[in-house]
């Protein structure tokens, strides 16, 4: 289960990262939408590391 969750979160991280880069190019890095993506990315990364740590502990 945690390995599957890790994969799902990883895919979401990539989507948000791509969106953030695209918006940053279009709107500038300080635009509120870019900042929102950055916060979402931070949250996803924290979740990923938490799940990843649990997966590694089970090995």
């Amino acid at each position: 289960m945690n390995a599957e969750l890790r994969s799902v979160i990883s895919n979401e991280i990539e989507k948000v990262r791509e969106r953030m880069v695209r918006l940053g190019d279009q709107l500038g890095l300080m635009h509120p939408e870019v900042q929102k993506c950055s916060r979402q990315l931070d949250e996803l990364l924290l979740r990923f590391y938490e799940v990843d740590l649990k997966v590694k502990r089970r090995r």
Side-chain angles (χ1 to χ4, degrees), residues 10-20 22:
S10 180
N11 290 336
E12 190 64 24
I13 286 169
E14 189 59 27
K15 288 178 190 175
V16 172
R17 186 192 67 77
E18 288 174 1
R19 183 171 188 264
M20 183 180 70
R22 190 173 56 253

Side-chain angles (χ1 to χ4, degrees), residues 29-50:
L29 297 178
M30 298 308 294
H31 191 277
E33 281 300 312
V34 178
Q35 297 297 312
K36 181 180 175 182
C37 283
S38 178
R39 287 189 299 274
Q40 288 174 335
L41 186 57
D42 288 344
E43 291 173 12
L44 286 167
L45 287 168
L46 288 173
R47 285 178 52 204
F48 178 85
Y49 292 132
E50 181 181 311

